[in-house]
């Protein structure tokens, strides 16, 4: 009887090591490739450059591959139990390092199944993680970047976005990561905030900084990053203007624009009812959403409708009525905003919205209810969390402290420890040397 041999892979970047495993595996019989889905990968590393379908098409056509099945989890175990292969083949590099626990589990399962684990010498000098770094260095294209937000929303329990108002913020968001017992954590993308874009230019957040000006910083961010960007489109302006904004953003590879349902002179939402702000009519805002949807060229660009009812002191039912109407008008997602410190109103909104709508992504900006952690937001049915202003808010007090200390001392020695070392700043941006 033909024996089955299982091999798990991402296959985003094909390299001789993979071909070697396939060739070796095929010698044992029917080679089944467990191809990791975006979901399986997203919790552990960046999303693959290619979509699952694209990777599947490639792997299916490699000589020696008999069958491709989805591997929905990072661990091989559930697929081994499902398909009960006679063998599993893996490079011997998993004997040490982060994969050695997985190796132990695989040995146990294969023993239980009466199968065997085949380990082959790993192809020196080439592995997917090393190539991963290289692909980051290659960068991205507007099309790939644009699509990546929808893919992340589909693949991750919650998508984590941080504000960026210049290229340096972009670099931090692109590269900072934490590896702890809960696994690998990084930011998934960037928020181009009207508040911090305006503030960083010394202007008020009242739509006074126009699109062209904001695009200058955005362009710097695009140049040094690969992650998706969500653009804060304020009110979207006049319908006749919004259609151009959509096209411009889409052409640059921005993934989404969020527009808020206000008209007239916009003031920042965190003023709540302290500032006079007028909410648009449902019909008026739906017309703007629809015009934007009709203007976009790709099917991937997202227009997310931001509901200001709770900010404006209106009722939950007003917020919900608007949410359903905006989705009906074509909105690809809902952002529900609040300046309530408890987060209870957001939780209630999500519960009610999800009773009637299971899939439309919900976006939140937990600036005032910042004690609620991502896991809990996810449990409420939220898909995207935006940390909307924290890069600017953290930089400002640090800069003021340095300025004041120099004045007090008449020299800069006392701020030395408040500053990054010269060596570090010279090495921060590749190519400076
Ligand atoms: C922004 O970051 O500009 C926002 C979010 O619109 S908020 O400041 O909370 O209104
Ligand atoms: Mg804003």
């Amino acid at each position: 009887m033909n024996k089955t041999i299982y091999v798990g892979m991402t296959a985003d970047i094909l390299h001789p090591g993979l071909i070697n495993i396939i060739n070796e595996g095929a010698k044992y019989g029917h080679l089944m490739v467990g191809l990791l889905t975006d979901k399986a990968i997203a919790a552990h590393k960046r999303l693959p450059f290619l979509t699952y379908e694209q990777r599947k098409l490639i792997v299916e056509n490699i000589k020696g591959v008999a069958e491709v099945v989805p591997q929905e989890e990072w661990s091989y175990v559930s697929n081994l139990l499902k398909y009960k292969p006679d063998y599993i083949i893996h490079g011997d590099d998993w004997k040490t390092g982060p994969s050695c626990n997985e190796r132990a589990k695989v040995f146990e399962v294969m023993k239980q199944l009466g199968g065997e684990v085949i380990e082959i010498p790993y192809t020196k000098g080439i592995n997917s993680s090393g190539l991963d770094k290289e692909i980051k260095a290659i960068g991205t294209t507007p099309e790939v970047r644009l699509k990546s937000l929808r893919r992340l929303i589909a693949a991750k329990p919650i998508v984590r976005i941080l504000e960026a108002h210049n290229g340096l913020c972009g670099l931090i968001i692109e590269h900072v990561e934490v590896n702890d017992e809960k696994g690998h954590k990084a930011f998934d993308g960037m928020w181009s905030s009207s508040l911090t874009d305006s503030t960083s230019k010394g202007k008020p957040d009242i739509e006074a900084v126009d699109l062209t000006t904001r695009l200058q910083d955005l362009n710097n961010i695009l140049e040094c990053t690969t992650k998706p960007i969500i653009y804060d489109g304020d009110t979207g302006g006049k319908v006749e203007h919004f259609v151009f904004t959509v096209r411009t953003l889409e052409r640059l590879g921005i993934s989404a624009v969020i527009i808020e349902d206000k008209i007239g002179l916009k003031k920042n939402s965190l003023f709540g009812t302290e500032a006079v702000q007028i909410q648009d009519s449902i019909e008026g805002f739906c017309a703007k959403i629809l015009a934007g949807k009709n203007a976009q060229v790709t099917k991937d660009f997202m227009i997310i409708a931001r509901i200001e009812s709770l900010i404006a002191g209106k009722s939950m039912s007003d917020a919900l009525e608007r949410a359903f109407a905006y989705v009906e008008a074509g909105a690809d997602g809902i952002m529900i905003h609040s300046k309530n410190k408890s987060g209870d109103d957001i939780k209630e909104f999500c519960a009610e919205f999800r009773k009637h709508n299971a899939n439309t992504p919900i976006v939140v900006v937990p600036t005032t209810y910042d004690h609620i952690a991502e896991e809990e937001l996810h449990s409420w049915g939220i898909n995207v969390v935006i940390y909307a202003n924290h890069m600017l808010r953290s930089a400002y007090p640090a800069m003021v402290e340095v300025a004041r200390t120099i004045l007090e001392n008449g020299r800069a020695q006392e701020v030395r420890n408040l500053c990054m070392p010269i060596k570090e700043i010279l090495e921060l941006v590749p190519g400076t040397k």
Side-chain angles (χ1 to χ4, degrees):
M1 199 189 85
N2 201 3
K3 304 264 189 192
T4 299
I5 177 152
Y6 188 90
V7 56
M9 59 176 68
T10 302
D12 192 26
I13 311 167
L14 290 178
H15 55 81
L18 277 186
I19 301 297
N20 186 35
I21 286 205
I22 290 171
N23 285 341
E24 286 302 312
K27 290 180 188 164
Y28 290 81
H30 181 92
L31 185 78
M32 174 187 281
V33 172
L35 189 63
L36 272 76
T37 59
D38 277 7
K39 227 179 207 151
I41 296 161
H44 294 266
K45 48 186 199 174
R46 68 161 184 86
L47 273 190
F49 196 72
L50 304 176
T51 63
Y52 179 85
E53 284 68 32
Q54 291 171 322
R55 292 182 284 121
K56 179 164 183 272
L57 188 67
I58 293 167
V59 174
E60 275 170 350
N61 285 288
I62 296 177
K63 199 169 115 200
V65 172
E67 188 182 358
V68 177
V69 295
Q71 182 174 317
E72 312 268 4
E73 290 168 20
W74 185 252
S75 169
Y76 300 96
V77 171
S78 48
N79 261 12
L80 296 179
L81 291 170
K82 182 170 176 186
Y83 296 107
K84 302 183 176 45
D86 301 287
Y87 306 100
I88 174 172
I89 187 164
H90 200 285
D92 63 1
D93 52 323
W94 67 343
K95 286 183 178 168
T96 53
S99 303
C100 68
N101 281 345
E102 175 65 13
R103 176 177 182 263
K105 278 191 251 160
V106 166
F107 265 86
E108 208 180 296
V109 172
M110 290 308 284
K111 193 169 157 206
Q112 197 182 311
L113 293 171
E116 217 182 296
V117 181
I118 297 161
E119 292 177 317
I120 60 163
Y122 128 89
T123 309
K124 294 241 164 8
I126 301 173
N127 66 44
S128 304
S129 309
L131 292 171
D132 204 52
K133 283 205 187 96
E134 281 176 33
I135 223 176
K136 253 191 181 172
I138 294 168
T140 187
T141 67
E143 196 191 346
V144 168
R145 191 199 298 256
L146 197 168
K147 281 186 177 153
S148 64
L149 181 64
R150 277 192 194 266
R151 287 179 64 201
L152 282 162
I153 292 172
K156 298 198 71 168
I158 191 156
V159 174
R160 191 185 289 126
I161 303 286
L162 180 59
E163 169 259 325
H165 55 275
N166 60 26
L168 192 57
C169 296
L171 280 179
I172 294 171
I173 296 166
E174 185 79 11
H175 297 297
V176 168
E177 50 183 35
V178 168
N179 292 296
D180 57 19
E181 66 290 343
K182 283 196 176 161
H184 169 83
K185 289 195 217 159
F187 287 97
D188 296 305
M190 290 156 280
W191 167 240
S192 173
S193 151
S194 70
L195 174 63
T196 67
D197 270 5
S198 308
T199 308
S200 65
K201 290 170 180 56
K203 294 257 173 73
D205 181 18
I206 54 170
E207 297 187 278
V209 183
D210 66 351
L211 175 66
T212 310
T213 310
R214 286 184 64 193
L215 287 182
Q216 292 169 3
D217 280 327
L218 203 50
N219 202 41
N220 291 331
I221 295 171
L222 287 167
E223 282 213 21
C224 62
T225 63
T226 63
K227 294 183 177 179
I229 299 174
I230 304 176
Y231 184 82
D232 176 0
D234 288 317
T235 65
K238 294 188 170 68
V239 175
E240 294 83 348
H241 295 174
F242 182 53
V243 292
F244 288 104
T245 305
V246 166
R247 288 248 170 145
T248 303
L249 295 174
E250 190 182 27
R251 194 173 57 244
L252 289 170
I254 308 297
S255 302
V257 62
I258 299 187
I259 49 169
E260 56 198 279
D261 55 1
K262 291 198 290 223
I263 47 170
L265 181 64
K266 189 220 79 156
K267 294 275 174 72
N268 186 277
S269 301
L270 298 173
F271 285 118
T273 49
E274 273 172 48
V276 180
Q277 304 195 64
I278 306 164
Q279 225 175 346
D280 200 350
S281 66
I282 294 185
E283 301 70 43
F285 199 61
C286 284
K288 200 179 278 183
I289 294 167
L290 186 62
K293 289 309 291 175
N294 287 338
Q296 72 184 63
V297 177
T298 67
K299 64 177 183 0
D300 303 299
F301 187 75
M302 298 174 78
I303 296 181
I304 299 173
R306 164 170 167 177
I307 297 161
E308 292 285 301
S309 304
L310 305 179
I311 292 282
K314 294 206 188 145
S315 64
M316 185 60 67
S317 58
D318 182 81
L320 286 161
E321 186 189 353
R322 286 173 177 272
F324 296 125
Y326 299 163
V327 171
E328 194 62 34
D332 301 291
I334 290 295
M335 176 184 148
I336 181 69
H337 204 13
S338 167
K339 70 182 282 280
N340 185 305
K341 290 200 173 105
S342 69
D344 291 347
D345 51 352
I346 296 289
K347 184 177 180 183
E348 187 188 336
F349 174 90
C350 294
E352 290 301 318
F353 183 72
R354 282 283 176 249
K355 277 187 196 159
H356 306 281
N357 181 318
N359 296 322
T360 301
I362 303 179
V363 181
V364 294
V365 176
T367 302
T368 52
Y369 49 102
D370 56 4
H371 59 291
I372 314 264
E374 291 161 4
E375 265 177 35
E376 189 169 355
L377 295 175
H378 164 61
S379 76
W380 297 355
I382 289 161
N383 305 81
V384 179
V385 54
I386 300 179
Y387 301 97
N389 42 50
H390 299 77
M391 299 301 262
L392 187 74
R393 279 173 58 212
S394 57
Y396 183 76
M399 292 193 289
V400 170
E401 171 75 357
V402 165
R404 185 184 293 136
T405 307
I406 292 175
L407 282 182
E408 280 168 1
N409 294 282
R411 62 179 190 186
Q413 182 186 310
E414 285 71 18
V415 301
R416 203 184 283 164
N417 290 335
L418 299 175
C419 297
M420 71 196 289
I422 292 293
K423 184 171 158 23
E424 245 176 63
I425 194 168
L426 291 177
E427 285 168 0
L428 182 69
V429 180
T432 302
K433 205 168 186 177

